[in-house]
Amino acid sequence: MNVNGIFNPENRFFTFMDKVMNLCLLGIFWALFSLPIITIGASTTALFQYTLKLIRNEEGYVWRSFRKSFVKNFVPATLLWLGAVAAGLFLILDLYCCQFLPFPEGIKWVARVVLVSLIFVYLLTIIYLFPLTAYFRFSIKKTVGGAFVMAMGNLYVSVTILVIYALFGVLTWVFTELFMIWFAFASSLSSHFFRWVFEKYMALDEEKANSMEEKIEKL
């Protein structure tokens, strides 16, 4: 047995534990910077800035990466967060008001089904907003449009991500004190799926660009 290999800080065990500790720190930073509530969008974007690199071993120092992303993406991420909250409250309020509509019960149920479907689409879309902000330099309008297209175009992946957060939500319910840690781990696991989707669309763009170059060369 190679004793030096066991205690080598670059072996798989120590590398794994280092990532676990970094995720714990990341979760704490996310919770602290989310305390004003209005900054949740910026702190979530900063969290994804790190986890999207972590899964490819491209991450740097946790604090440096988090702080830099928080400052850089503060304005667009905050606007996206406020818009997402407003849209969510609007849908929930509409669903609540359905029971007071002066229409037959059958029409009320149709309205409820439509609103529940819209809420489902809304949830699938917002889970892409902050990873997209962290990974690309899009305008707010393009980020929202891209989030919707990617969520609907990769429905099975989007639902899988939603299930991941639901499962970690159960852990949060049981171990509430560690909610920030569970969120960091859920985001890290989800980042595998997010990055796969992002790279898929980047590859399509490259194919289109190459195809365009070929057409130009033939002219």
Side-chain angles (χ1 to χ4, degrees), residues 90-105:
F90 177 78
L91 289 172
I92 292 172
L93 183 62
D94 280 355
L95 186 61
Y96 172 75
C97 291
C98 274
Q99 59 186 313
F100 304 112
L101 292 174
F103 298 118
E105 194 61 30

Side-chain angles (χ1 to χ4, degrees), residues 122-133:
Y122 162 82
L123 290 174
L124 293 180
T125 301
I126 63 168
I127 61 177
Y128 280 84
L129 289 180
F130 305 112
L132 266 173
T133 304

Side-chain angles (χ1 to χ4, degrees), residues 14 17 20 31 41-42 46 55 59 91 97 99 104 110 114 121 123-125 132-133 151 154 163 181 188 203:
F14 284 109
M17 292 306 298
V20 169
I55 61 172
E59 77 281 7
L91 289 172
C97 291
Q99 59 186 313
V110 171
V114 170
V121 172
L123 290 174
L124 293 180
T125 301
L132 266 173
T133 304
N154 302 274
V163 170
I181 307 299
S188 178

